Amino acid sequence: RYRQSRGYGYRHIRQDLQRRGIAQELIARYLSPDDERWEMILDELVMKRCLSVVKIAAGGDFHQRLVRFLQGRGFHDSEINRALAGLLMQA
């Protein structure tokens, strides 16, 4: 819960637990990739990062930095694309 509240995604948290030696069965029991909270966490991160930005140029520097940041937080590319879909403008 702490990592979720800090804006980390499923993949990051799962990897962290695996590194700490937590059993796969225990991780699977308490951590679900289908949980709707991941979507809410991602949307909150995007809103925080894009407070002063109305549109993001697709493939631009800011877009690339934002995608790398979100990937580092443990979100899949498909989730990131969904979250950024309304903000992207084609170059």
Side-chain angles (χ1 to χ4, degrees), residues 19-33:
R19 259 185 264 134
R20 294 171 187 259
I22 307 298
Q24 290 291 342
E25 299 80 30
L26 198 56
I27 293 172
R29 183 183 310 159
Y30 292 104
L31 195 65
S32 171

Side-chain angles (χ1 to χ4, degrees), residues 1 4 8-15 17 23-41 74-76 79:
R1 277 186 261 148
Q4 278 183 331
Y8 288 94
Y10 170 78
R11 288 177 23 193
H12 183 91
I13 295 172
R14 187 190 67 200
Q15 260 185 342
L17 292 171
Q24 290 291 342
E25 299 80 30
L26 198 56
I27 293 172
R29 183 183 310 159
Y30 292 104
L31 195 65
S32 171
D34 299 329
D35 193 342
E36 61 193 36
R37 286 181 285 183
W38 304 123
E39 195 172 306
M40 291 177 4
I41 292 168
F75 294 99
H76 288 282
E79 296 169 322

Side-chain angles (χ1 to χ4, degrees), residues 7 14 20 22 31 33 43 54-55 67 77 83:
R14 187 190 67 200
R20 294 171 187 259
I22 307 298
L31 195 65
D43 290 339
V54 177
K55 289 288 183 182
V67 168
D77 290 338

